Amino acid sequence: MDTAKLLVDGKEYELPIVTGTMNERAVDITKLRAQSGLITFDPGYANTGSCKSDITYIDGERGILKYRGIPIEALAEQSTFVETAYLLIYGKLPTRTELMNFQLGLKRHSLIHEGMKNFYRGFPDTAHPMAILSAMMGSMSAYAKECVDGVSDEQLMNENIMKILSSVRTCAAFSYKKSIGQPFIYPRHDLSYVSNFLNMMFDTPYERYETDPDVERALDLLFILHADHEQNCSTASVRLVGSSLSNMYSSISSGISALWGPLHGGANQKVLEMLEAIHRDGGDVSKYINKAKDKDDPFRLMGFGHRVYKNHDPRATVIKGACDKVLAKQGVNDPLLNIAKQLEEVALSDEYFIEKKLYPNIDFYSGIIYKAIGIPTEMFTAMFAIARVSGWMTQFIEMRRDPMHRIGRPRQIYIGQPEASYIPIADRK
Ligand code: SDX
């Protein structure tokens, strides 16, 4: 057994080393506190593994991403989002029959309970789609039959999986229709997963929406690329909330809330707003590169940098290639794409970005495609959530089935007052 030795106050502690299938190694500190009274300290968990997982593999130094061992480039090229979601959730590529049944199940669970439609009336038209989505997902548990741990009853678990994966589209599309004061468009049985979503977004009683196959393919590709990404902030939130035996709907709702942040999934909306601001300001990319480098300037190059990728984000590479194709097919010459490419070019030859290993991440180009296919900017992060729901559920189920599963409860280092007395209010200054 590989071990690490820790010498503290003249005492030596031997800790096991665990090694993953790709030879990643970790010091197993599960017994550290019992043996030594010590805990580890790692704000942001940059150096801390929370679990063992066989779902997704990332090599940040080499820009590698695999779902269940299959390279993301192969899935982007040959798979569909529904097939990729099945691969993640059930751990294998579906047979033709399994895929057909999965698609049928998603159709059957595409509606939300009519009672939930009333919730939309309570939101202002200006409500951000992510505020609505997290509320709707959490509320869905009130309408779902629950098995106590979310996974022991296979049939019930599969029902919840279908419900969440299918109706998250409906909730997102309804939030858009509400924001523009249009009637909700219901899901249809004759449309695919992606074209059903597009139809719920853009069909109207007065004009039939026809899905452009190129638009459908572009969105399907984006969903594949966003489906899972190991223990990122929102997935870690889903696992932590789910570790208390909270149900899958509430755990997924916490993932939606975490994803909304501009440092995480909310960055895709911020990237487009940043590109539009640079465009309005005359398109001087060097000015904004310098602002991003200026310690005293809060401006950051949104869509750049990543906690794990210290090389290209393979998803950004795929999306950048798709950008050119989608815009060419749509006959769109978007100045924002040119600004994005100039930003990338200048940044990647700049000492600051090279030294800090800052590359474009998944959010840098995705907004350009969303915009080209007509998705409003405020909906960008909701698009990320629709796809990531498949990864969140997969991670939730793995956590619940892990024999070592315990409620998550980090420790801390206390730096407050050692002792203080209660002072009656009459005596306070
Ligand atoms: C996603 O984890 C995942 O897997 C997430 C995700 C997924 O699929 O789930 O990949 C999706 O969230 C992608 C990231 C989207 N966020 C953004 O694009 C926001 C802009 N990027 C950053 O804020 C930042 O790069 C993070 C949040 C992505 C990563 O933050 P870290 O790992 O905590 O790194 P850091 O903030 O400590 O930065 C290290 C250094 C700092 O400089 P120093 O203090 O060392 O001098 O790099 C600098 C930072 O100032 N830096 C940037 C920068 N990102 C980091 N400087 C300018 N512009 C940036 N974008």
Side-chain angles (χ1 to χ4, degrees):
M1 156 79 83
D2 236 353
T3 61
K5 288 194 171 63
L6 185 64
L7 195 59
V8 179
D9 303 336
K11 202 154 178 259
E12 185 178 279
Y13 302 94
E14 195 161 10
L15 300 165
I17 285 188
V18 287
T19 305
T21 39
M22 306 305 282
N23 292 320
E24 302 149 289
R25 300 171 77 210
V27 178
D28 179 342
I29 57 167
T30 40
K31 302 268 185 308
L32 178 66
R33 190 166 185 277
Q35 287 173 0
S36 68
L38 289 164
I39 62 169
T40 56
F41 181 64
D42 185 22
Y45 308 118
N47 307 286
T48 296
S50 63
C51 62
K52 291 178 182 174
S53 177
D54 63 3
I55 300 166
T56 292
Y57 173 69
I58 300 176
D59 180 330
E61 273 60 40
R62 294 162 58 209
I64 291 172
L65 169 60
K66 296 181 178 175
Y67 294 162
R68 299 290 186 184
I70 302 177
I72 192 68
E73 294 81 1
L75 291 166
E77 185 68 34
Q78 304 168 66
S79 189
T80 64
F81 171 65
V82 169
E83 184 183 70
T84 298
Y86 187 100
L87 166 70
L88 285 168
I89 295 167
Y90 297 102
K92 69 184 224 19
L93 287 168
T95 60
R96 221 181 283 280
T97 310
E98 287 166 336
L99 182 59
M100 198 181 65
N101 291 335
F102 190 53
Q103 286 164 328
L104 212 52
L106 291 173
K107 288 183 195 291
R108 289 207 177 112
H109 290 80
S110 56
L111 282 173
I112 59 172
H113 190 288
E114 281 294 296
M116 289 187 72
K117 272 177 48 186
N118 301 325
F119 301 173
Y120 283 85
R121 277 208 289 274
F123 289 105
D125 289 356
T126 53
H128 194 285
M130 290 296 273
I132 297 177
L133 210 48
S134 59
M136 296 307 279
M137 188 54 70
S139 314
M140 226 177 276
S141 59
Y143 294 83
K145 299 187 294 295
E146 267 300 307
C147 43
V148 67
D149 61 1
V151 296
S152 49
D153 178 325
E154 194 84 16
Q155 206 259 322
L156 213 42
M157 180 192 78
N158 287 329
E159 247 180 65
N160 288 326
I161 287 169
M162 301 279 182
K163 183 81 211 140
I164 292 172
L165 186 57
S166 190
S167 59
V168 67
R169 291 173 297 173
T170 313
C171 293
F174 282 9
S175 69
Y176 171 60
K177 284 299 196 189
K178 172 188 170 58
S179 73
I180 55 175
Q182 279 190 5
F184 293 166
I185 299 294
Y186 279 68
R188 282 173 30 187
H189 63 84
D190 58 329
L191 295 177
S192 74
Y193 186 90
V194 170
S195 58
N196 227 330
F197 169 72
L198 290 166
N199 192 65
M200 287 191 274
M201 284 282 287
F202 302 122
D203 194 37
T204 64
Y206 56 82
E207 190 179 12
R208 188 176 171 74
Y209 173 77
E210 291 292 344
T211 305
D212 173 333
D214 294 325
V215 168
E216 183 180 4
R217 180 61 200 134
L219 194 47
D220 200 68
L221 169 65
L222 285 166
F223 282 169
I224 290 171
L225 297 171
H226 284 82
D228 191 56
H229 214 235
E230 55 140 276
Q231 307 311 314
N232 55 82
C233 176
S234 53
T235 299
S237 305
V238 169
R239 280 181 172 257
L240 191 59
V241 170
S243 73
S244 72
L245 292 189
S246 181
N247 65 63
M248 186 142 69
Y249 295 87
S250 311
S251 304
I252 299 292
S253 173
S254 77
I256 293 170
S257 302
L259 187 73
W260 190 3
L263 292 185
H264 192 11
N268 57 15
Q269 175 177 341
K270 295 296 172 203
V271 169
L272 208 86
E273 290 166 0
M274 172 186 75
L275 295 175
E276 283 169 342
I278 296 172
H279 182 53
R280 277 196 307 274
D281 188 25
D284 174 3
V285 296
S286 303
K287 172 180 169 187
Y288 286 85
I289 292 284
N290 292 329
K291 280 170 64 69
K293 291 159 56 177
D294 180 354
K295 276 268 153 262
D296 301 325
D297 190 325
F299 176 81
R300 280 207 155 177
L301 202 53
M302 298 312 277
F304 252 75
H306 199 276
R307 174 62 60 78
V308 177
Y309 288 122
K310 299 307 169 191
N311 194 317
H312 278 83
D313 180 336
R315 303 167 298 175
T317 309
V318 174
I319 293 178
K320 184 179 173 186
C323 266
D324 292 326
K325 256 196 284 182
V326 170
L327 267 65
K329 289 253 173 153
Q330 295 288 89
V332 169
N333 177 21
D334 189 343
L336 302 186
L337 178 59
N338 302 331
I339 290 176
K341 287 183 173 176
Q342 284 174 46
L343 270 175
E344 180 182 9
E345 202 181 312
V346 174
L348 295 189
S349 55
D350 182 290
E351 203 32 54
Y352 173 91
F353 290 86
I354 294 168
E355 186 251 322
K356 293 179 191 302
K357 297 185 178 168
L358 302 175
Y359 291 88
N361 58 51
I362 189 163
D363 294 313
F364 191 62
Y365 284 105
S366 54
I368 308 269
I369 296 189
Y370 287 140
K371 180 169 171 272
I373 62 180
I375 305 289
T377 309
E378 277 231 322
M379 284 290 290
F380 286 6
T381 311
M383 308 300 286
F384 196 146
I386 291 172
R388 189 53 60 90
V389 148
S390 60
W392 287 331
M393 290 195 287
T394 308
Q395 300 273 350
F396 173 94
I397 293 163
E398 183 178 72
M399 176 269 299
R400 280 285 172 78
R401 286 184 169 156
D402 180 349
M404 287 180 71
H405 151 242
R406 323 175 55 195
I407 185 170
R409 202 271 186 222
R411 293 276 181 156
Q412 64 165 27
I413 295 292
Y414 176 69
I415 54 168
Q417 297 182 63
E419 191 65 39
S421 320
Y422 181 80
I423 301 165
I425 192 155
D427 304 338
R428 290 173 209 161
K429 295 205 179 27

